[in-house]
Each structure stands twice: as structure tokens, then as C-alpha cells.
Amino acid sequence: MAQLTKAQVRDDAYDIYREDGSRYAAIRFEVRGRDLGTTVKEAIDKIAKNVQIPRGYHLEWSGEYDSEKRAEARLLFIVPLTIFLIFIILYTMFRSFKWRC
């Protein structure tokens, strides 16, 4: 991580969590002055290029970024469906593909 960021060693409490038979340590990533999606995507790309992760380890990006990605996936489904339903309603009302003002 020090290759990509300014890392600080602090005398704070830290935890190593266990979930599904695996241990993990959460790393906090704060974004200021930029949008979250672009910043995290850039961090993912830089880490993939510059950091070799040892066998048996993996990275998982979660939190607000994960929520944003899930919302984006829902919108990619809901927006076209909504436009289609509006089109069907308009066709039902006017019985034509051409609407006149």
C-alpha cells in the first residue's frame, strides 16, 4: 500500500476479523474532493498493476463503493424497463406510434 499512498502507522485499536472460515483486516479508504467511483476504480487499477498479492490472499472492495455498484446495476435494469412501460402506456392511450401535439 505504501507504493500507492501515504501510509501512516498509528497507535489505534485494530481488529482481525473472521468470517466464513477466513481472516480479514479492514482497511479504511477515505475520499475527499473527488467522486468515489472514479477514485476507487483508479485505486483498483493501480493496485492491480503495481502490487503483487501473495497466494492465498485477495482484495475485496466494499462499503459505499459496493453499494454504489449495486445501485448502478439496478438502474441499468430499471431505467430501460421504465421507458418501455411509458412507451406502452402512451401507445395504449393514443393507439398509434406517432403522437401529435
Side-chain angles (χ1 to χ4, degrees), residues 2-100:
Q3 298 170 5
L4 303 172
T5 65
K6 295 177 185 174
Q8 296 178 344
V9 177
R10 297 172 64 180
D11 291 330
D12 288 338
Y14 66 90
D15 293 318
I16 296 177
Y17 304 99
R18 285 187 167 77
E19 187 174 291
D20 295 330
S22 298
R23 286 185 234 154
Y24 70 93
I27 298 173
R28 188 172 167 173
F29 184 88
E30 292 185 25
V31 178
R32 292 186 183 157
R34 295 181 63 188
D35 72 291
L36 179 68
T38 305
T39 304
V40 174
K41 179 67 175 140
E42 185 180 311
I44 290 170
D45 292 342
K46 282 185 179 181
I47 288 173
K49 283 182 185 177
N50 300 319
V51 177
Q52 278 193 319
I53 300 171
R55 176 181 267 182
Y57 290 82
H58 71 278
L59 293 176
E60 187 174 314
W61 299 83
S62 61
E64 289 180 35
Y65 176 73
D66 189 39
S67 297
E68 183 178 308
K69 287 296 170 192
R70 283 195 313 267
E72 185 178 301
R74 277 192 302 261
L75 283 174
L76 285 174
F77 174 74
I78 290 173
V79 169
L81 179 64
T82 303
I83 291 171
F84 178 72
L85 289 174
I86 290 170
F87 178 78
I88 295 298
I89 291 168
L90 288 172
Y91 179 78
T92 303
M93 289 177 63
F94 296 109
R95 303 275 185 224
S96 174
F97 290 109
K98 295 180 182 179
W99 296 286
R100 297 184 184 133

